[in-house]
Amino acid sequence: MKKVKEKILNKQCIVHILLIVIGTILLLIPSFHSNIWFDESYSVGIVNHSFIDIWKIGAHDVHPILYYWMLKIVNIIFGTNIIAYRIFSVLGIVTLGILGMTHIRKDFGNKTGMLFTFFSMFLPTMLNYGLEIRMYSWTIVFVTLMAIYLYRFIKEKNTKNLILFGLFSIISCYMHYYALVCAGIVNLGLIIYIIKNRKKIDIKIIKQFILIEVIQVLLYIPWFIFFVKQAFRVGKGFWISITFPQILVDIINFQYKGKMQETIPTIFSCLLYGYLLYIIIKNIRRKVDIKEGIIPLIIYLLVIIMVAIVSIVSPILYARYLFTITGLLLFAISYFLNKEDNKFMIGLICGAVIIMSLNNLKIIMDKNYDKSNNKPISYIKEIIKPEDTIVYSKIGNGAIVATLVDNNNQYFLNLENWTVEEAYKAYGPNMKTVDSYEEAIKENKGRIIVVDTDDLPLYTKIENKEKYNEVERKRFETKYNDDIFQIIVLEEKK
């Protein structure tokens, strides 16, 4: 009997490992490219600075700085290597998948662990945001670990679980502000739990818990002042706009949506959540204790509610940011599917996920490896001379140039008067933020290379164009992020 159990466990372990390996391959296939878009350019740019300067510059961004520090270590090891940065992001998703085998499986059984690993590796959204040179993939890992050790501490109130919970909680706070909201909700809930059950808990553990909470607060104080400043700056105007009912659709189908039409992911997500609701109601009627699956689901929903309330004042509700706390949702889905013995339904759900993910993979590969992506930067590098000055007023394509063309003076013309001068020092020292075209060209000794978009917002504002000869003009459209580059070379008449 013992040998039979060992064989079963070994087979389950092999299947689990195969899931992780196949999922890793799936994630790596579209990862070997050097394209970047604006958000990624910020990550690539800021890690060229020192750890101290990352703190100073990042204080003016709209995200915390821990991910940039992590990426800085990759930068120290591999230099400015965009592919290495992207693989680092993929490793975050792989780590999340491994948690299904090492932690979820141990705490909740093989089936729940395997489902968690499957969804972590194969959901379409993993191909969308798990490959980006941003904080998303590692934030989801730390938030999930925080939740895991919250559960373990409640189950077994020992010092190790408490310390690890506190560690992953404060790390989450420094990774992303949605993770900060999540950590705040979790810690508040744990405080209420400790107070309510204080008579049943060892006084030593209560003292340690208070100490851990105090340490978390003290560790966050250095950043808190910057968080407040960022909150007020965002409150004065932010790029996110919320439209109903689209925001509700995005929240529902976000995890299942690739670069495909929304109809299929929306139908699938509604059917899946309907099925999960059926499982929950059925277990409640049977008086089965399912709070282990309900609590992470409630935390996930509370984050959305809290962010939605804040969005009444300042719009910060954005489906993409939910990626950071998606580990909670994935666990809840895995937990409740484990409560069902209907292999056909589970197979149907997993099959649909695979089909959507493979479709997404094809589209992403076509986009990532399209030849159009390299053309604008290659063209600039081909024509540029050491004394030339590059100017742009749209940071979307300008930031890409600032990051990938680093030997010339560049100027971002802040025509819309955004409060970004300090934040955009991430692109320094070769790029500076200025308020006028005249300021940008006052030290120019060569040609002026205007990087514009189709509506030519910068070029049309240049006065005294008769002073220049238009040497060349070319238009490029990249498939990676649908960025448009209108590149105009101007030479002053002699």
Side-chain angles (χ1 to χ4, degrees):
M1 188 68 179
K2 187 178 179 181
K3 288 183 178 180
V4 172
K5 285 184 178 179
E6 285 178 355
K7 283 183 179 180
I8 292 171
L9 288 173
N10 286 337
K11 284 181 180 179
Q12 291 173 344
C13 189
I14 290 169
V15 172
H16 217 141
I17 291 170
L18 280 173
L19 273 179
I20 294 168
V21 170
I22 294 169
T24 302
I25 293 170
L26 186 77
L27 290 164
L28 285 174
I29 287 172
S31 299
F32 295 96
H33 66 92
S34 297
N35 312 311
I36 56 173
W37 69 292
F38 169 61
D39 281 16
E40 291 179 308
S41 76
Y42 196 85
S43 301
V44 174
I46 199 171
V47 297
N48 291 323
H49 300 266
S50 68
F51 286 100
I52 293 174
D53 284 341
I54 288 172
W55 177 284
K56 291 177 181 177
I57 295 168
H60 299 276
D61 187 29
V62 292
H63 294 294
I65 47 84
L66 184 55
Y67 165 75
Y68 300 134
W69 276 359
M70 293 168 66
L71 195 64
K72 176 64 181 177
I73 296 171
V74 180
N75 172 268
I76 291 170
I77 298 170
F78 296 101
T80 303
N81 188 321
I82 290 172
I83 292 176
Y85 295 164
R86 203 174 299 285
I87 300 303
F88 178 63
S89 292
V90 171
L91 288 177
I93 302 302
V94 175
T95 302
L96 183 69
I98 290 172
L99 289 180
M101 184 175 180
T102 57
H103 288 67
I104 306 297
R105 178 171 174 260
K106 182 178 179 180
D107 293 346
F108 299 96
N110 182 72
K111 186 177 172 184
T112 303
M114 201 172 290
L115 284 167
F116 182 86
T117 295
F118 173 81
F119 289 122
S120 296
M121 306 296 290
F122 291 98
L123 277 184
T125 193
M126 298 303 170
L127 285 166
N128 294 336
Y129 301 110
L131 311 185
E132 287 204 350
I133 307 172
R134 296 297 285 162
M135 64 285 299
Y136 304 123
S137 68
W138 282 102
T139 305
I140 192 176
V141 171
F142 294 126
V143 169
T144 304
L145 281 166
M146 174 182 67
I148 287 170
Y149 282 98
L150 168 69
Y151 168 79
R152 289 188 173 184
F153 173 69
I154 290 173
K155 281 288 184 181
E156 188 178 352
K157 297 172 183 63
N158 59 39
T159 304
K160 175 190 171 184
N161 290 336
L162 180 58
I163 289 173
L164 287 172
F165 163 75
L167 174 65
F168 292 122
S169 175
I170 190 62
I171 288 175
S172 297
C173 294
Y174 272 97
M175 289 295 291
H176 194 278
Y177 288 131
Y178 273 43
L180 169 67
V181 174
C182 185
I185 290 169
V186 167
N187 278 273
L188 179 60
L190 189 54
I191 290 169
I192 294 169
Y193 171 83
I194 294 291
I195 293 171
K196 186 178 178 181
N197 296 277
R198 62 189 180 280
K199 293 181 181 179
K200 302 176 185 177
I201 302 172
D202 190 325
I203 189 65
K204 178 185 174 184
I205 294 296
I206 292 177
K207 288 179 180 178
Q208 290 176 349
F209 171 74
I210 293 170
L211 179 61
I212 290 294
E213 292 297 303
V214 170
I215 289 173
Q216 284 193 70
V217 171
L218 291 175
L219 287 174
Y220 199 71
I221 285 174
W223 187 257
F224 182 73
I225 186 170
F226 300 117
F227 164 67
V228 173
K229 287 181 179 178
Q230 289 175 0
F232 275 105
R233 185 164 63 249
V234 169
K236 293 177 181 177
F238 199 40
W239 59 270
I240 294 176
S241 60
I242 298 175
T243 56
F244 291 95
Q246 186 59 47
I247 186 62
L248 299 177
V249 175
D250 290 341
I251 289 171
I252 291 169
N253 70 14
F254 165 73
Q255 283 85 6
Y256 318 97
K257 183 171 60 176
K259 299 297 180 181
M260 61 192 298
Q261 290 183 345
E262 291 188 352
T263 307
I264 294 174
T266 304
I267 292 171
F268 172 81
S269 56
C270 288
L271 290 173
L272 175 61
Y273 294 146
Y275 183 56
L276 293 176
L277 184 60
Y278 158 76
I279 296 171
I280 291 170
I281 292 170
K282 186 168 73 171
N283 280 275
I284 290 173
R285 286 177 175 174
R286 290 177 178 176
K287 297 184 179 178
V288 176
D289 185 0
I290 54 171
K291 63 177 179 290
E292 293 170 339
I294 291 291
I295 290 173
L297 193 57
I298 289 173
I299 294 169
Y300 179 83
L301 293 173
L302 281 175
V303 173
I304 296 174
I305 292 168
M306 289 291 293
V307 173
I309 291 170
V310 174
S311 293
I312 296 172
V313 178
S314 179
I316 59 170
L317 181 57
Y318 194 47
R320 183 174 78 197
Y321 293 164
L322 293 176
F323 188 91
T324 59
I325 60 168
T326 289
L328 302 174
L329 179 64
L330 299 189
F331 170 76
I333 293 171
S334 304
Y335 177 88
F336 289 116
L337 288 180
N338 181 49
K339 294 291 181 184
E340 283 290 288
D341 293 324
N342 192 329
K343 292 181 181 179
F344 174 77
M345 284 299 296
I346 294 174
L348 197 63
I349 291 166
C350 293
V353 168
I354 289 289
I355 291 170
M356 289 188 292
S357 230
L358 289 176
N359 180 76
N360 196 30
L361 174 64
K362 181 184 181 302
I363 294 169
I364 286 177
M365 285 181 63
D366 290 343
K367 177 190 70 171
N368 290 0
Y369 295 124
D370 193 85
K371 292 180 180 179
S372 67
N373 298 324
N374 299 320
K375 288 182 178 179
I377 299 302
S378 296
Y379 171 71
I380 292 174
K381 287 182 176 180
E382 180 186 325
I383 65 166
I384 200 162
K385 298 176 182 178
E387 65 275 12
D388 292 344
T389 297
I390 304 173
V391 294
Y392 33 78
S393 64
K394 293 294 182 182
I395 197 62
N397 56 15
I400 297 169
V401 176
T403 306
L404 300 179
V405 183
D406 55 7
N407 293 321
N408 289 73
N409 289 329
Q410 300 187 33
Y411 296 90
F412 166 60
L413 273 67
N414 187 15
L415 300 179
E416 298 180 43
N417 297 314
W418 296 338
T419 55
V420 294
E421 185 173 352
E422 293 300 319
Y424 284 2
K425 285 182 178 178
Y427 299 107
N430 60 303
M431 191 204 92
K432 295 179 177 63
T433 301
V434 295
D435 296 324
S436 68
Y437 174 76
E438 289 71 24
E439 188 178 354
I441 65 166
K442 65 182 179 182
E443 295 180 2
N444 177 60
K445 295 179 182 178
R447 299 175 305 171
I448 299 163
I449 298 177
V450 177
V451 179
D452 227 334
T453 53
D454 265 350
D455 53 350
L456 300 175
L458 172 56
Y459 185 70
T460 54
K461 286 183 179 292
I462 297 175
E463 297 180 358
N464 302 319
K465 289 190 183 67
E466 65 275 5
K467 290 171 54 180
Y468 303 100
N469 288 320
E470 186 176 309
V471 178
E472 198 167 359
R473 180 190 295 212
K474 285 201 174 183
R475 181 187 184 276
F476 301 93
E477 186 171 350
T478 63
K479 203 169 180 181
Y480 180 62
N481 192 52
D482 298 323
D483 285 310
I484 294 172
F485 294 76
Q486 283 266 27
I487 300 171
I488 305 167
V489 183
L490 300 176
E491 187 173 53
E492 193 168 352
K493 293 177 180 178
K494 296 179 181 179

